[in-house]
Amino acid sequence: MIIESFSKVLRDLRMKRHLSQEKLAELCDLDRTYISMLERGLRQPTITTLFQICSALDVAPSEFVRQMEELI
Amino acid sequence: MIIESFSKVLRDLRMKRHLSQEKLAELCDLDRTYISMLERGLRQPTITTLFQICSALDVAPSEFVRQMEELI
DNA sequence: ATGTGACTTATAGTCCGTG
DNA sequence: ACACGGACTATAAGTCACA
């Protein structure tokens, strides 16, 4: 599932960067609880949100999506 | 702008595949008018929709996004 | 530091049409 | 084939209190 793979890659990359959900939320100007929902697969982002998050994670959106593809 | 780059890549790839908006809509099980809105930058897709469209266009989502990055 | 439920507003996405 | 509109339903955006 696409939403599932997104949530896994998100959590994985955030962890690798040793960021809390709170810190990441602050970096990409989103709500802490929204990040939580994304990681639990309860929301799926629009592409704008995807790009925003990738910028905060310092990863190219295309690379993020490439990692998603590996999980599908 | 992210939405703008999405719409450009979408139209570009659809044209290269010689698909009408109607045909593409049918292939990815979306509405004809919605494809039109996406190409005019009036809507932005969720990631699920992005993957759906990429599947119909026979392009990897990561490649689609890579082409978006070139325009930003 | 995070999960969760409930909530409101905005927008994703459909379906009817027109020129 | 496509732009464009109105009206609709489903779901994302964004926030809050509490565990």
Side-chain angles (χ1 to χ4, degrees), chain B residues 18-61:
Chain B
H18 307 292
L19 291 170
S20 66
Q21 290 182 350
E22 279 172 335
K23 183 63 183 170
L24 174 61
E26 180 193 327
L27 288 173
C28 54
D29 201 34
L30 289 169
D31 198 85
R32 168 184 74 76
T33 63
Y34 180 58
I35 299 292
S36 170
M37 287 178 180
L38 287 175
E39 290 193 359
R40 284 178 291 143
L42 301 179
R43 287 285 192 285
Q44 66 163 326
T46 56
I47 43 168
T48 295
T49 304
L50 170 67
F51 273 67
Q52 226 172 313
I53 291 173
C54 284
S55 170
L57 287 173
D58 197 30
V59 62

Side-chain angles (χ1 to χ4, degrees), chain A residues 7 15 24 43 52 67 69-70 72:
Chain A
S7 66
M15 297 294 212
L24 174 61
R43 284 284 195 287
Q52 221 171 319
Q67 293 190 29
E69 286 165 1
E70 284 178 4
I72 294 178

Side-chain angles (χ1 to χ4, degrees), chain A residues 25-40:
Chain A
E26 181 193 329
L27 287 174
C28 53
D29 201 34
L30 291 170
D31 199 85
R32 169 186 80 75
T33 62
Y34 179 58
I35 300 291
S36 171
M37 287 178 177
L38 286 175
E39 289 192 359
R40 283 178 291 141

Side-chain angles (χ1 to χ4, degrees), chain A residues 8-62:
Chain A
K8 283 178 184 165
V9 172
L10 173 58
R11 178 158 289 181
D12 181 56
L13 288 177
R14 178 178 64 80
M15 297 294 212
K16 280 180 180 157
R17 278 145 183 78
H18 308 292
L19 291 171
S20 66
Q21 290 182 352
E22 277 174 332
K23 185 62 184 167
L24 174 61
E26 181 193 329
L27 287 174
C28 53
D29 201 34
L30 291 170
D31 199 85
R32 169 186 80 75
T33 62
Y34 179 58
I35 300 291
S36 171
M37 287 178 177
L38 286 175
E39 289 192 359
R40 283 178 291 141
L42 300 180
R43 284 284 195 287
Q44 65 164 324
T46 56
I47 43 166
T48 295
T49 305
L50 170 68
F51 272 66
Q52 221 171 319
I53 291 173
C54 284
S55 170
L57 286 173
D58 197 30
V59 63
S62 57

